[in-house]
């Protein structure tokens, strides 16, 4: 198993340099072809515009958006050019809603999507993450622009709660798990009532059949959020990556997110592979 292709969002302002560096590292490790996608956002005339705003004002804003996107794309390409990774840059001029739909369509035709997950997100970034996670059918890699970002997969932490989405995340992460030196399975035992017929050691045996070196851990949530409990466990083992399922129910893309999912999508201190 391998990650043959990926799509990464290249944010125009500010440029997602650490996300690009992570994507380049993954590409070198797996020989992955990465499509870098950025959007010089178009500017629509407001429907309630009654004052005479000069057309050149809109044109200047469009030109500024295109210039920012071009600078970000050029910088991302330079990061990939430092290695031997194959990078394909794509710029699509469109409105924000069209950009989100376009990225989801690209993601459906790749093995994985790589997105920045900064604390202070740009207007498109949170809805883009949610749309790709819940709409692409494929795993999403969320990269902190202000956390631990250097590409490494020596130590991987799996958040295991016996759910369908957790099992999906494990399956999606298998190419990474197979390359790791050590994989820790953690179950937060006081988070919710768990009534599995098989315990986490059965997952460990499943992964061991794939040649994965596995350790089974348990963690207590206590007074912390489930996200903080996972982050604490990740820090304890110096994890390079957290693998987990993303909980959400959607109706016309109005999401009701699980607590841990909500916290991860707000920000996480390390890269996250999340599947739904």
């Amino acid at each position: 198993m391998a990650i043959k292709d990926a799509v990464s969002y290249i944010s125009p302002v500010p440029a997602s340099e650490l996300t690009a560096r992570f994507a380049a590292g993954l590409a070198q490790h797996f020989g992955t072809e990465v499509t870098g996608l950025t959007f010089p956002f178009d500017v629509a005339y407001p429907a309630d515009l009654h004052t005479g705003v000069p057309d050149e004002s809109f044109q200047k804003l469009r030109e500024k958006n295109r210039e920012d996107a071009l600078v970000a794309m050029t910088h991302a390409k330079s990061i990939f050019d430092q290695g031997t990774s194959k990078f394909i840059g794509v710029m699509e001029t469109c409105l924000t809603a069209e950009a989100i739909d376009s990225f989801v369509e690209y993601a459906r035709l790749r093995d994985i999507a790589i997105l920045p997950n900064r604390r202070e997100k740009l207007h498109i970034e949170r809805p883009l993450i949610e749309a790709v996670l819940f709409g692409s059918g494929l795993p999403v890699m969320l990269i902190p622009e202000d956390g631990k970002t250097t590409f490494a997969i020596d130590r991987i932490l799996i958040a295991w709660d016996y759910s369908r989405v957790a099992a999906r995340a494990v399956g999606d992460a298998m190419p990474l798990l197979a390359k790791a030196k050590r994989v820790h399975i953690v179950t937060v035992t006081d988070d919710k009532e768990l009534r599995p017929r098989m315990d986490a050691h059965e997952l460990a045996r499943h992964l061991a059949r794939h040649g994965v070196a596995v350790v089974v851990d348990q963690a207590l949530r206590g007074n912390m959020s489930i996200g903080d409990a996972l982050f604490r466990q990740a820090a304890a083992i110096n994890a390079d990556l957290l693998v987990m399922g993303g909980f959400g129910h959607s109706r016309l893309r109005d999401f009701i997110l699980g607590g841990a999912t909500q916290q991860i999508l707000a920000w996480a201190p390390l890269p996250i592979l999340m599947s739904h």
Side-chain angles (χ1 to χ4, degrees):
M1 300 174 67
I3 301 174
K4 293 295 186 180
D5 51 17
V7 59
S8 181
Y9 177 56
I10 309 299
S11 176
V13 182
S16 303
E17 177 168 337
L18 297 183
T19 300
R21 291 193 181 280
F22 189 95
L26 182 143
Q28 287 190 18
H29 195 88
F30 288 99
T32 306
E33 178 183 284
V34 176
T35 299
L37 188 56
T38 192
F39 302 98
F41 293 112
D42 203 354
V43 182
Y45 286 85
D48 59 349
L49 183 64
H50 300 295
T51 60
V53 178
D55 287 344
E56 55 265 25
S57 298
F58 288 93
Q59 187 59 31
K60 286 180 180 179
L61 185 53
R62 292 187 184 101
E63 291 173 357
K64 178 63 166 57
N65 289 347
R66 181 166 184 80
E67 179 183 339
D68 290 340
L70 183 59
V71 169
M73 183 64 75
T74 301
H75 185 59
K77 186 176 184 303
S78 71
I79 291 172
F80 278 80
D81 286 346
Q82 296 171 13
T84 58
S85 307
K86 186 174 181 181
F87 178 78
I88 300 172
V90 177
M91 295 176 59
E92 290 193 4
T93 301
C94 54
L95 300 174
T96 300
E98 297 170 336
I100 291 174
D101 290 340
S102 176
F103 195 97
V104 170
E105 290 178 0
Y106 272 91
R108 287 173 180 163
L109 300 174
R110 303 296 188 278
D111 289 329
I112 198 167
I114 305 172
L115 301 170
N117 187 26
R118 67 182 104 240
R119 288 181 190 268
E120 299 296 329
K121 292 178 173 58
L122 302 183
H123 69 288
I124 188 179
E125 291 179 349
R126 177 61 183 263
L128 177 62
I129 291 173
E130 292 184 4
V132 177
L133 174 62
F134 295 104
S136 71
L138 293 173
V140 177
M141 192 83 80
L142 302 178
I143 310 302
E145 282 290 315
D146 41 8
K148 182 175 181 178
T149 309
T150 303
F151 177 79
I153 51 173
D154 290 340
R155 290 170 297 279
I156 298 178
L157 180 67
I158 297 173
W160 182 246
D161 63 357
Y162 306 91
S163 65
R164 180 195 67 79
V165 292
R168 173 67 187 272
V170 169
D172 287 339
M174 196 62 76
L176 299 159
L177 300 175
K179 295 282 188 178
K181 293 180 180 178
R182 184 69 60 87
V183 172
H184 288 250
I185 302 169
V186 63
T187 300
V188 181
T189 55
D190 60 343
D191 172 47
K192 55 188 175 183
E193 186 176 4
L194 301 173
R195 294 182 178 178
R197 295 181 61 185
M198 293 175 283
D199 63 18
H201 290 87
E202 191 63 31
L203 173 61
R205 285 187 282 272
H206 166 66
L207 293 177
R209 297 183 194 109
H210 289 268
V212 179
V214 185
V215 175
V216 176
D217 296 326
Q218 289 186 345
L220 294 177
R221 174 181 176 180
N223 294 325
M224 295 183 294
S225 68
I226 181 63
D228 285 338
L230 293 174
F231 296 157
R232 182 181 65 177
Q233 190 70 15
I237 68 169
N238 195 24
D240 301 305
L241 176 71
L242 172 62
V243 173
M244 63 179 291
F247 282 95
H249 306 281
S250 65
R251 177 175 295 175
L252 298 178
R253 288 192 175 175
D254 292 327
F255 296 113
I256 303 174
L257 304 176
T261 303
Q262 185 77 260
Q263 186 171 355
I264 295 296
L265 298 192
W267 182 78
L270 77 165
I272 309 290
L273 186 147
M274 186 176 282
S275 299
H276 175 66

